[in-house]
PDB file of all heavy atoms in Angstrom:
ATOM      1  N   ALA A 613     -10.367-117.777  44.077  1.00 97.00           N
ATOM      2  CA  ALA A 613      -9.604-118.581  43.087  1.00 97.00           C
ATOM      3  C   ALA A 613      -8.177-117.958  42.884  1.00 97.00           C
ATOM      4  O   ALA A 613      -8.001-116.733  43.020  1.00 97.00           O
ATOM      5  CB  ALA A 613     -10.310-118.478  41.738  1.00 97.00           C
ATOM      6  N   PRO A 614      -7.222-118.773  42.609  1.00 97.00           N
ATOM      7  CA  PRO A 614      -5.875-118.319  42.315  1.00 97.00           C
ATOM      8  C   PRO A 614      -5.882-117.398  41.048  1.00 97.00           C
ATOM      9  O   PRO A 614      -6.795-117.472  40.219  1.00 97.00           O
ATOM     10  CB  PRO A 614      -5.023-119.539  42.071  1.00 97.00           C
ATOM     11  CG  PRO A 614      -5.795-120.646  42.682  1.00 97.00           C
ATOM     12  CD  PRO A 614      -7.204-120.234  42.557  1.00 97.00           C
ATOM     13  N   THR A 615      -4.870-116.568  40.870  1.00 96.00           N
ATOM     14  CA  THR A 615      -4.708-115.684  39.712  1.00 96.00           C
ATOM     15  C   THR A 615      -4.810-116.494  38.479  1.00 96.00           C
ATOM     16  O   THR A 615      -4.219-117.572  38.329  1.00 96.00           O
ATOM     17  CB  THR A 615      -3.392-114.882  39.846  1.00 96.00           C
ATOM     18  OG1 THR A 615      -3.407-114.087  40.910  1.00 96.00           O
ATOM     19  CG2 THR A 615      -3.216-114.051  38.534  1.00 96.00           C
ATOM     20  N   GLY A 616      -5.558-116.040  37.433  1.00 96.00           N
ATOM     21  CA  GLY A 616      -5.762-116.762  36.184  1.00 96.00           C
ATOM     22  C   GLY A 616      -6.844-117.725  36.117  1.00 96.00           C
ATOM     23  O   GLY A 616      -7.071-118.327  35.136  1.00 96.00           O
ATOM     24  N   PHE A 617      -7.570-117.861  37.235  1.00 97.00           N
ATOM     25  CA  PHE A 617      -8.661-118.845  37.387  1.00 97.00           C
ATOM     26  C   PHE A 617      -9.896-118.171  37.906  1.00 97.00           C
ATOM     27  O   PHE A 617      -9.897-117.129  38.571  1.00 97.00           O
ATOM     28  CB  PHE A 617      -8.284-120.003  38.272  1.00 97.00           C
ATOM     29  CG  PHE A 617      -7.296-120.945  37.617  1.00 97.00           C
ATOM     30  CD1 PHE A 617      -5.953-120.674  37.627  1.00 97.00           C
ATOM     31  CD2 PHE A 617      -7.689-122.100  36.996  1.00 97.00           C
ATOM     32  CE1 PHE A 617      -5.009-121.480  37.012  1.00 97.00           C
ATOM     33  CE2 PHE A 617      -6.788-122.987  36.370  1.00 97.00           C
ATOM     34  CZ  PHE A 617      -5.452-122.653  36.421  1.00 97.00           C
ATOM     35  N   ALA A 618     -11.015-118.771  37.607  1.00 97.00           N
ATOM     36  CA  ALA A 618     -12.386-118.424  38.079  1.00 97.00           C
ATOM     37  C   ALA A 618     -13.168-119.678  38.435  1.00 97.00           C
ATOM     38  O   ALA A 618     -12.878-120.801  37.866  1.00 97.00           O
ATOM     39  CB  ALA A 618     -13.075-117.503  37.189  1.00 97.00           C
ATOM     40  N   PHE A 619     -14.103-119.521  39.301  1.00 97.00           N
ATOM     41  CA  PHE A 619     -14.961-120.762  39.652  1.00 97.00           C
ATOM     42  C   PHE A 619     -16.105-120.951  38.664  1.00 97.00           C
ATOM     43  O   PHE A 619     -16.541-119.934  38.045  1.00 97.00           O
ATOM     44  CB  PHE A 619     -15.526-120.612  41.074  1.00 97.00           C
ATOM     45  CG  PHE A 619     -14.501-120.619  42.135  1.00 97.00           C
ATOM     46  CD1 PHE A 619     -14.065-119.496  42.813  1.00 97.00           C
ATOM     47  CD2 PHE A 619     -13.845-121.773  42.506  1.00 97.00           C
ATOM     48  CE1 PHE A 619     -13.199-119.462  43.826  1.00 97.00           C
ATOM     49  CE2 PHE A 619     -12.907-121.840  43.451  1.00 97.00           C
ATOM     50  CZ  PHE A 619     -12.560-120.679  44.101  1.00 97.00           C
ATOM     51  N   THR A 620     -16.492-122.169  38.426  1.00 95.00           N
ATOM     52  CA  THR A 620     -17.586-122.447  37.510  1.00 95.00           C
ATOM     53  C   THR A 620     -18.980-122.475  38.181  1.00 95.00           C
ATOM     54  O   THR A 620     -19.965-122.453  37.549  1.00 95.00           O
ATOM     55  CB  THR A 620     -17.400-123.837  36.774  1.00 95.00           C
ATOM     56  OG1 THR A 620     -17.464-124.867  37.857  1.00 95.00           O
ATOM     57  CG2 THR A 620     -16.045-123.876  36.127  1.00 95.00           C
ATOM     58  N   GLY A 621     -18.971-122.505  39.535  1.00 94.00           N
ATOM     59  CA  GLY A 621     -20.253-122.574  40.253  1.00 94.00           C
ATOM     60  C   GLY A 621     -20.535-124.013  40.659  1.00 94.00           C
ATOM     61  O   GLY A 621     -21.468-124.251  41.480  1.00 94.00           O
ATOM     62  N   SER A 622     -19.887-124.963  40.120  1.00 94.00           N
ATOM     63  CA  SER A 622     -20.021-126.389  40.500  1.00 94.00           C
ATOM     64  C   SER A 622     -19.336-126.661  41.846  1.00 94.00           C
ATOM     65  O   SER A 622     -18.126-126.405  42.034  1.00 94.00           O
ATOM     66  CB  SER A 622     -19.450-127.319  39.436  1.00 94.00           C
ATOM     67  OG  SER A 622     -19.409-128.674  39.817  1.00 94.00           O
ATOM     68  N   ALA A 623     -20.128-127.216  42.786  1.00 95.00           N
ATOM     69  CA  ALA A 623     -19.565-127.525  44.114  1.00 95.00           C
ATOM     70  C   ALA A 623     -20.343-128.677  44.745  1.00 95.00           C
ATOM     71  O   ALA A 623     -21.611-128.584  44.807  1.00 95.00           O
ATOM     72  CB  ALA A 623     -19.624-126.340  44.966  1.00 95.00           C
ATOM     73  N   SER A 624     -19.719-129.767  45.016  1.00 95.00           N
ATOM     74  CA  SER A 624     -20.417-130.966  45.669  1.00 95.00           C
ATOM     75  C   SER A 624     -19.576-131.450  46.804  1.00 95.00           C
ATOM     76  O   SER A 624     -18.403-131.105  46.982  1.00 95.00           O
ATOM     77  CB  SER A 624     -20.517-132.065  44.577  1.00 95.00           C
ATOM     78  OG  SER A 624     -19.312-132.480  44.091  1.00 95.00           O
ATOM     79  N   TYR A 625     -20.174-132.324  47.613  1.00 96.00           N
ATOM     80  CA  TYR A 625     -19.502-132.954  48.768  1.00 96.00           C
ATOM     81  C   TYR A 625     -19.657-134.408  48.709  1.00 96.00           C
ATOM     82  O   TYR A 625     -20.513-135.001  48.046  1.00 96.00           O
ATOM     83  CB  TYR A 625     -20.050-132.367  50.030  1.00 96.00           C
ATOM     84  CG  TYR A 625     -21.446-132.903  50.350  1.00 96.00           C
ATOM     85  CD1 TYR A 625     -21.692-134.063  51.058  1.00 96.00           C
ATOM     86  CD2 TYR A 625     -22.578-132.159  49.944  1.00 96.00           C
ATOM     87  CE1 TYR A 625     -22.964-134.512  51.344  1.00 96.00           C
ATOM     88  CE2 TYR A 625     -23.833-132.593  50.192  1.00 96.00           C
ATOM     89  CZ  TYR A 625     -24.029-133.795  50.828  1.00 96.00           C
ATOM     90  OH  TYR A 625     -25.306-134.307  51.183  1.00 96.00           O
ATOM     91  N   GLY A 626     -18.776-135.084  49.448  1.00 94.00           N
ATOM     92  CA  GLY A 626     -18.840-136.520  49.514  1.00 94.00           C
ATOM     93  C   GLY A 626     -18.178-137.080  50.797  1.00 94.00           C
ATOM     94  O   GLY A 626     -17.088-136.557  51.188  1.00 94.00           O
ATOM     95  N   TYR A 627     -18.791-138.050  51.462  1.00 94.00           N
ATOM     96  CA  TYR A 627     -18.231-138.807  52.548  1.00 94.00           C
ATOM     97  C   TYR A 627     -17.861-140.162  51.887  1.00 94.00           C
ATOM     98  O   TYR A 627     -18.773-141.000  51.699  1.00 94.00           O
ATOM     99  CB  TYR A 627     -19.220-138.957  53.678  1.00 94.00           C
ATOM    100  CG  TYR A 627     -19.535-137.639  54.393  1.00 94.00           C
ATOM    101  CD1 TYR A 627     -20.729-136.902  54.062  1.00 94.00           C
ATOM    102  CD2 TYR A 627     -18.744-137.076  55.391  1.00 94.00           C
ATOM    103  CE1 TYR A 627     -20.976-135.726  54.707  1.00 94.00           C
ATOM    104  CE2 TYR A 627     -18.968-135.935  56.031  1.00 94.00           C
ATOM    105  CZ  TYR A 627     -20.145-135.224  55.684  1.00 94.00           C
ATOM    106  OH  TYR A 627     -20.472-134.106  56.278  1.00 94.00           O
ATOM    107  N   TYR A 628     -16.633-140.326  51.589  1.00 92.00           N
ATOM    108  CA  TYR A 628     -16.181-141.508  50.900  1.00 92.00           C
ATOM    109  C   TYR A 628     -15.605-142.630  51.720  1.00 92.00           C
ATOM    110  O   TYR A 628     -15.181-143.690  51.165  1.00 92.00           O
ATOM    111  CB  TYR A 628     -15.212-141.145  49.698  1.00 92.00           C
ATOM    112  CG  TYR A 628     -15.842-140.217  48.731  1.00 92.00           C
ATOM    113  CD1 TYR A 628     -15.440-138.851  48.640  1.00 92.00           C
ATOM    114  CD2 TYR A 628     -16.716-140.607  47.804  1.00 92.00           C
ATOM    115  CE1 TYR A 628     -15.931-138.004  47.772  1.00 92.00           C
ATOM    116  CE2 TYR A 628     -17.274-139.773  46.840  1.00 92.00           C
ATOM    117  CZ  TYR A 628     -16.856-138.450  46.866  1.00 92.00           C
ATOM    118  OH  TYR A 628     -17.418-137.646  45.895  1.00 92.00           O
ATOM    119  N   PHE A 629     -15.564-142.410  53.025  1.00 90.00           N
ATOM    120  CA  PHE A 629     -15.041-143.461  53.928  1.00 90.00           C
ATOM    121  C   PHE A 629     -16.208-144.229  54.561  1.00 90.00           C
ATOM    122  O   PHE A 629     -16.007-144.865  55.570  1.00 90.00           O
ATOM    123  CB  PHE A 629     -14.192-142.799  55.008  1.00 90.00           C
ATOM    124  CG  PHE A 629     -12.832-142.297  54.464  1.00 90.00           C
ATOM    125  CD1 PHE A 629     -12.784-141.092  53.867  1.00 90.00           C
ATOM    126  CD2 PHE A 629     -11.739-143.117  54.459  1.00 90.00           C
ATOM    127  CE1 PHE A 629     -11.586-140.583  53.387  1.00 90.00           C
ATOM    128  CE2 PHE A 629     -10.546-142.681  53.940  1.00 90.00           C
ATOM    129  CZ  PHE A 629     -10.420-141.430  53.394  1.00 90.00           C
ATOM    130  N   VAL A 630     -17.444-144.084  54.087  1.00 88.00           N
ATOM    131  CA  VAL A 630     -18.590-144.820  54.501  1.00 88.00           C
ATOM    132  C   VAL A 630     -19.113-145.618  53.338  1.00 88.00           C
ATOM    133  O   VAL A 630     -18.860-145.300  52.211  1.00 88.00           O
ATOM    134  CB  VAL A 630     -19.728-143.879  55.101  1.00 88.00           C
ATOM    135  CG1 VAL A 630     -19.138-143.125  56.346  1.00 88.00           C
ATOM    136  CG2 VAL A 630     -20.227-142.957  54.045  1.00 88.00           C
TER     137      VAL A 630
END
Side-chain angles (χ1 to χ4, degrees):
T615 297
F617 285 82
F619 294 107
T620 65
S622 168
S624 60
Y625 70 88
Y627 295 95
Y628 297 108
F629 290 84
V630 299

